[in-house]
Amino acid sequence: MNSDSGSSRSSSPDVDDMYARKSSSSSGQTEFTAKMSSEHLSRGAGAGLGRTSPDIGGKYKLKKQVTEEEIQQLRLKINGRERKRMHDLNLAMDGLREVMPYAHGPSVRKLSKIATLLLARNYILMLTSSLDEMKRLVGEIYGGGHHAAFHCGAAASHGHGHAAHAPLPAAPAVHHALLGGALAPPTASSALSVALPALGSIRAPQSLMKTPPTPPLQVGTGFQHWAGLPCPCAICQVPPPAAHVPITSTGLSRLSADKEAMK
DNA sequence: TAGGCCATCTGGTCCT
DNA sequence: AGGACCAGATGGCCTA
């Protein structure tokens, strides 16, 4: 299961092959792991990585004397479980990427894990904000107020997931508040960075792109706007900054620096 | 070449 | 006892 389609790296090599490769390799880490699998486990040296805690050998050899082969088998089993766990995690991450308002495709480099999580977070925040605004508008409409009518109704050519809003035949510049309140040429980078201030901390999506540089954004479900029709409505506005908790991790500050460098 | 991202291995800890 | 989860370490691949 290699979710990194853009990479030649195989993330899901055959377990046995992987182990064999690792064990037979002469790299430092490989030597170490092989050493740990045998010596560390069977003799309880407990000096690996400078750790002084009891070694795993003690955990597994209490009842009976286990041979190195048995230890190796056990290690393989444990490693396999861990691999599967991480693969499942990556599958979930891919599933998350699929529903994110971000261009998908073979020519587009996929979001990193951290970027996926941050985008997801801000997406949720934005949707929550939109939902609140929608509730408020509905409350105004049915509360006697007519002024709002159907928000953006005059434009009528774009809808927030309303199937009744038939799209114009012209090629739409698909976007959503999340992807850009400004209707500048909808490059993924500008749209994302404009609409998601916090997301702006993420490495500029343009840098994630391979050719073509400006792939069409594919929004998850039904959110479509149209080029040349600026939408001033609250729903289409970027959520208030307060909704975006500043990203403070060191990694993100680094990403922010990357974005600044992109300008 | 440095840095980013990732997969994998590993030992520790907690839970069932 | 065994599995799940976690974090540290390491090496490989890719990009600027």
Side-chain angles (χ1 to χ4, degrees):
Chain A
M1 183 245 30
N2 184 8
S3 59
D4 190 352
S5 58
S7 170
S8 60
R9 165 177 53 230
S10 173
S11 61
S12 58
D14 178 74
V15 172
D16 295 334
D17 288 347
M18 168 61 74
Y19 189 86
R21 177 176 63 80
K22 286 284 188 179
S23 298
S24 61
S25 168
S26 61
S27 66
Q29 166 70 2
T30 303
E31 265 183 34
F32 175 72
T33 55
K35 189 182 177 77
M36 288 293 289
S37 295
S38 56
E39 294 182 10
H40 186 74
L41 293 184
S42 60
R43 289 195 280 116
L49 295 177
R51 297 176 187 177
T52 57
S53 52
D55 66 294
I56 193 173
K59 181 177 180 177
Y60 296 111
K61 72 173 183 181
L62 290 177
K63 291 296 180 181
K64 63 171 185 177
Q65 285 291 349
V66 294
T67 66
E68 279 199 12
E69 186 176 354
E70 287 172 321
I71 294 170
Q72 205 170 47
Q73 289 300 316
L74 180 60
R75 200 61 251 182
L76 282 174
K77 187 179 175 183
I78 294 173
N79 292 348
R81 274 202 306 269
E82 178 66 9
R83 261 198 309 272
K84 181 182 180 302
R85 194 183 69 84
M86 296 308 297
H87 290 170
D88 290 344
L89 184 62
N90 287 334
L91 284 178
M93 194 68 72
D94 287 339
L96 187 56
R97 288 189 185 98
E98 287 178 6
V99 299
M100 295 307 297
Y102 188 81
H104 310 286
S107 62
V108 179
R109 187 171 170 178
K110 76 174 185 179
L111 290 169
S112 67
K113 291 179 180 179
I114 181 69
T116 300
L117 292 175
L118 291 170
L119 180 60
R121 177 185 179 278
N122 286 288
Y123 190 33
I124 292 171
L125 287 174
M126 194 282 301
L127 291 177
T128 301
S129 175
S130 295
L131 183 60
D132 289 343
E133 180 68 9
M134 190 75 77
K135 288 177 180 176
R136 188 186 67 79
L137 289 173
V138 169
E140 285 185 8
I141 291 171
Y142 292 101
H146 284 54
H147 100 274
F150 263 61
H151 127 92
C152 298
S157 54
H158 72 283
H160 299 280
H162 298 306
H165 286 193
L168 290 175
V174 179
H175 77 285
H176 181 257
L178 181 65
L179 298 179
L183 288 171
T187 63
S189 60
S190 62
L192 278 170
S193 60
V194 166
L196 291 176
L199 183 60
S201 299
I202 297 175
R203 179 178 57 187
Q206 204 161 36
S207 67
L208 299 175
M209 306 294 183
K210 294 178 178 177
T211 57
T214 58
L217 292 175
Q218 299 171 1
V219 182
T221 53
F223 290 103
Q224 290 190 343
H225 280 189
W226 303 92
L229 294 177
C231 180
C233 71
I235 291 179
C236 294
Q237 300 309 303
V238 181
H244 298 285
V245 177
I247 301 172
T248 56
S249 73
T250 56
L252 296 184
S253 62
R254 172 178 50 75
L255 292 172
S256 181
D258 287 352
K259 177 177 179 291
E260 286 301 314
M262 288 293 298
K263 291 180 179 177

